[in-house]
Amino acid sequence: MHAMERVFLLQLFLWQLLHLVLANFKAQDNICSMSDPFQFPYEYSKPGDIIIGGIAAQFDCLLEISNFEENPKTKVVEELMAILKNYQHVLSLMFAVKQINENPQILPNISIGFHIYDSYHNAKMSYQNTLKLLSAQRKTIPNYNCKKQTNLIAVIGGLDAKVSLHMATVLSIYKFPQIACCVFAPVMNVKMQLPFFYRMIPSETNQYVGLIQLLLFFQWKWIGIVSPDDDKGEKFVQTMLPMLSQNAICAAIIERTLTLSGVLENFESFEPVFKMAASLSKPNVKVYIVNADPQAISCLKWLVYIYESTQRSIQVTIGKVWLMTAQWDFSSETLHRNFNIHFFHGALSLASHSKEVLGFTEFLRSLQPTWSKGDGFIRIFWEQAFNCLFPNSNEGKENNNSCTGKENLENLPGTLFEITMTSQSYSIYNAVHAIAHALHKMFLSSTHRLDPTDLLHWQLHHFLKTMSFNHSAEDTVSFDENGELVAGLDVINWVTFPNKSLLRVKVGWLDPQALSDHQLTIHEEAITWHSSFNQIQPIALCNEKCHPGYRRKKKEGEAFCCYDCVPCLKGKISDQKDMDNCFQCPENQFPNENKNQCIAKRLHFLSFLHPLGITLAFLTLSFVLLTILILGVFIKNQNTPIVKANNRDLTYCLLISLLFCFLCSLLFIGQPQRQICYLRQITFGIIFTIAVSCILAKTITVVVAFMATKPGSRMRKWVGRRLTILILFGCSFIQTSICAVWLCADPPFLEFDMYSLPGAILVQCNEGSLGMFYYVLGYLGFLAIVSFTVAFLARKLPDSFNEAKFITFSMLVFCSVWLSFIPSYQSTNGEYMVAVEIFSILASDAGLLSCIFFPKCYIIILKPELNIKEQLIKRNS
């Protein structure tokens, strides 16, 4: 684009903004003077009617913009800057009045009328026209009504908070009810400062909450804000920022649209304007909240238009999600008639809840520019909408198109006029019905017939506060304690088409009365997004979300919405996206490899299915079978000398105890149970004590028998079963007593160790008192050492049946095994600790079995000729 074209576009943009904000000053220059023919544009009433006043914001004044340069090369002729869609507000008021006057159920035999004035978005004109409503004359006469036959009962207006405040300043003095449709309250604590002020729109707080909930619903955390550079825009930003921060949403860009001061400051330099336009086109910010003030929207349209025009050579299109506040109604000034509206395609906006009113569309279709007497708006609307002139028009400009009055409103672009009722028009429609129903309730509550001319407007307040009704659209209308409409907000999706028509699609709603988690309802499948997003919900984040297994780490010097993703530390996980911290798994679970899920720990113990468990169980059963075979051999050959030697009963007792010693090792294999934990160490200790006691008894029997052979020895009385039983039961009783104390004081118990083995729960038997466990082993070792010592001393005694040599070797093996067991047991854990004890049991038992019984079995089975008394005596000699 050439530099001259850019300059012209920017001048046109600045001139329009200048026009929007200079109205206050130009009013003083008599451009919108009292002689203006549109000062009293619409009067519909007759003597005796109850009057509803209205201050609308339909058209700005005629303004000639020229001579901005010393040698101007371009002059923009005077242009009527009309927001045509606002004319529907007048029509909705007319339609509501028509419905009420034709309804015999409401205010029977009483009719209502209305007077409408234009505010021109101008403080002076708003004050003047408010006073004209009260004076009921073309001249403003404060504190005096010159037209007594009119009966003003309430005032409706305006759509803008500033206009509403200008009106309320005057109306509150006279206690006139004022029902406004402004989204934002004109003052803080509005009900306290303006007690006669009502708003036909939900609380302003609901809108802020709705915007936040929309952002949270779509998970948009990196957004921009566009707001006017004035007090109202500042209030909006300062209210939104804390709410955004509380919900972890960052405002990446805050753009303030130009005001009068901004126009004047930037008129010499175009750089700030292009900079602002380029800022809005940044690709990393896809969602913008727009405080949809008409001036802000107008500026936004021009910024987008200028940027796209300057970038036309590379076909740049700004594709964003515009999230608009509730005062927006997709309306354009006539100057924007040919603007491309596609950049608003897919926009979302909040809107005061509305429904289709039956008959309104047909009412609009019947509209003719000549039939409405007293309507000073319709001809201007018609000419501006259809870009034509009536033959008797007062417009001082050339136009080859003549208005016929037969033009079709349905052919107008949606930005200029819609054939269906907008949310703002619906609010005005509700306001008229609210006043009518309050009046009806007032008449019904009176004990005698009221004359309409006797009505006092301040009496209406009580009935407005308590008023609740359903109108033809089947909507319930009532005010809360703050004088605001009790209703929710609709979520509107705007769909645009190449022919500049548009479609508003209700895709959700906000119900403030619902529970906090159910206030917002959105039908995602019904939403149409901007074409640049390929019908995929846009992602509005500073950076991609952290995947499970990672946590967020703030980037130094940047907004909290911008962060790095770092892996979770060992032993911790994150199972959702964008988690601030990783966390430990429950005790019975452990992190998986990706650190994004907790997996149930497997129970870890020495199982019969484990290879080590299978091996030990096989060895145990093998030794059990071998012990049974040896016992069978000894029983079969019980009368042979080698079996009868050294107490046959002790031999049987020793073999049986060894058999149970082998079997008790099976208690250590398999998943431990509480009862098993009680029994296995106790059983092991007592049975092994019996086995070692049998060996000790055998050894002492040999010594006593040798000593008894000496003449005059007193040991003869101990030869026999009495000594054997005393040793066997005495030694076993001591060990049993130790075990009983152990069980009573600090018994073993079932333990689940969550931490020793990663990924597993170690199921084991805790010995309870480790000291008592070593007492049991110590006593067992003491018996073994005594047996070893006695056997070692008796190994060379001249006895044909002396087993002392075999017992010496067996006790040497036994003591060696259990001495090596202690350090091995202390240095292992889990299944290996159990395996060490099982191995020690099997090894010590096998040592006893092999050293004591294998030599005898060799003679019995392989050398039976030696198993006779003579041969044994001969071998000994």
Side-chain angles (χ1 to χ4, degrees), residues 411-451:
N411 294 334
L412 290 174
T415 56
L416 298 184
F417 195 80
E418 290 183 68
I419 203 70
T420 56
M421 185 175 284
T422 66
S423 60
Q424 287 90 338
S425 295
Y426 187 74
S427 296
I428 294 173
Y429 175 86
N430 282 340
V432 177
H433 275 273
I435 294 171
H437 280 79
L439 281 170
H440 185 71
K441 192 174 180 181
M442 182 191 297
F443 279 105
L444 291 179
S445 65
S446 177
T447 55
H448 59 278
R449 185 179 181 278
L450 279 177
D451 190 326

Side-chain angles (χ1 to χ4, degrees), residues 807-821:
I807 291 174
T808 301
F809 283 110
S810 67
M811 287 296 99
L812 184 61
V813 172
F814 186 90
C815 292
S816 299
V817 168
W818 287 106
L819 284 174
S820 61
F821 161 79

Side-chain angles (χ1 to χ4, degrees), residues 367 369 378-386 388 390 405 407 409:
L367 189 65
I378 189 167
R379 287 172 60 87
I380 300 175
F381 162 78
W382 208 269
E383 290 179 342
Q384 291 294 312
F386 294 104
C388 63
F390 287 101
E407 289 82 4
L409 290 174

